[in-house]
Amino acid sequence: MCEVVCKGERLWLREVTESDAAPLHAIYGDPAATQHMPFPPRTVGQVAEVVREAVAAAAEKPRRLYALAVLDAHDRSVIGVARLHIDAERPHCAEIGLGLRPDHWGRGMGTDLVRLLLTFGFKQLGLHRIWGARAPANLPAQLAMLTAGMVEEGRLRHHVAAPDGWRDSVIHAAIEDEWRGR
Ligand SMILES: CC(C)(COP(=O)(O)OP(=O)(O)OC[C@H]1O[C@@H](n2cnc3c(N)ncnc32)[C@H](O)[C@@H]1OP(=O)(O)O)[C@@H](O)C(=O)NCCC(=O)NCCS
């Protein structure tokens, strides 16, 4: 599967394929990009396994996981990764996760990516609530989600078992009708 699922001006989203393990390792294997993630930098082999699981999950019915490669719209190279995970018990809700290769940070791409995920989730998947959890210290993620319209809802204490101990999460969410009204 290498279908493009959503197009923005600067970024496109397409289904992850097994050949994406190397470009995704530039994010999941990078110490700066994984600083606020709940796992230490991953090896190429570990990323390949994550990609295999994502490809298998795409075939499940009903589908719950969308693991997407983030493409630079100009040259179609993979510069990031995004995940949208639908809640099994509440299929109107999904959690998003995202990461860009560090050499693309600080130019508004992260904010664009959050906007694109909201468009994909609300318009194409028909979701009603899309939420994301970030580390309290993750300022770029906070600003990207706020600017894209994801309201800060509160803090879950000791939500994540991070490599260096328990970590709180701050929850952001967008609701479909508020999002359409923006
Ligand atoms: C989160 C992430 C996608 C943001 O990407 P980005 O392209 O740098 O984001 P943007 O350029 O859209 O910047 C978003 C905001 O953060 C600010 N910002 C970016 N880098 C910053 C930094 N190092 N320090 C302070 N502010 C920063 C920008 O100025 C912008 O603020 P503004 O909206 O007030 O202008 C990127 O940092 C990343 O991939 N991080 C690693 C993975 C990760 O943490 N994912 C989030 C999990 S919730």
Side-chain angles (χ1 to χ4, degrees):
M1 257 197 271
C2 59
E3 186 194 338
V4 172
V5 297
C6 199
K7 288 183 181 180
E9 229 171 81
R10 289 197 288 178
L11 301 175
W12 290 5
L13 302 177
R14 73 150 164 75
E15 300 280 1
V16 153
T17 68
E18 293 194 10
S19 62
D20 292 324
L24 295 196
H25 180 251
I27 299 144
Y28 286 138
D30 184 274
T34 53
Q35 186 192 353
H36 298 296
M37 292 185 185
F39 49 82
R42 288 178 159 148
T43 63
V44 183
Q46 288 170 327
V47 177
E49 184 53 32
V50 169
V51 171
R52 269 194 295 278
E53 285 170 11
V55 171
E60 282 174 14
K61 290 201 178 8
R63 184 170 178 181
R64 289 185 51 210
L65 177 67
Y66 289 80
L68 304 169
V70 179
L71 308 186
D72 180 324
H74 294 297
D75 61 11
R76 318 283 154 84
S77 60
V78 177
I79 61 163
V81 61
R83 290 164 68 88
L84 191 148
H85 198 252
I86 296 171
D87 187 328
E89 315 234 318
R90 296 176 189 81
H92 60 283
C93 295
E95 180 182 6
I96 56 168
L98 56 137
L100 290 175
R101 218 170 62 201
D103 56 315
H104 290 276
W105 292 357
R107 289 186 287 127
M109 300 271 218
T111 307
D112 280 1
L113 177 53
V114 177
R115 289 194 178 110
L116 209 52
L117 282 169
L118 295 181
T119 300
F120 176 60
F122 288 137
K123 276 193 157 169
Q124 284 167 248
L125 302 182
L127 295 168
H128 184 69
R129 171 185 162 83
I130 298 177
W131 63 280
R134 66 165 171 89
N138 195 344
L139 181 60
Q142 176 185 25
L143 294 173
M145 288 195 279
L146 285 175
T147 305
M150 297 183 77
V151 173
E152 215 169 276
E153 293 189 327
R155 188 167 181 131
L156 301 180
R157 295 180 303 151
H158 288 203
H159 182 224
V160 171
D164 53 353
W166 296 112
R167 201 205 76 200
D168 295 356
S169 288
V170 178
I171 305 301
H172 289 247
I175 304 297
E176 195 262 353
D177 32 4
E178 287 173 3
W179 174 80
R180 281 192 192 274
R182 275 171 68 92

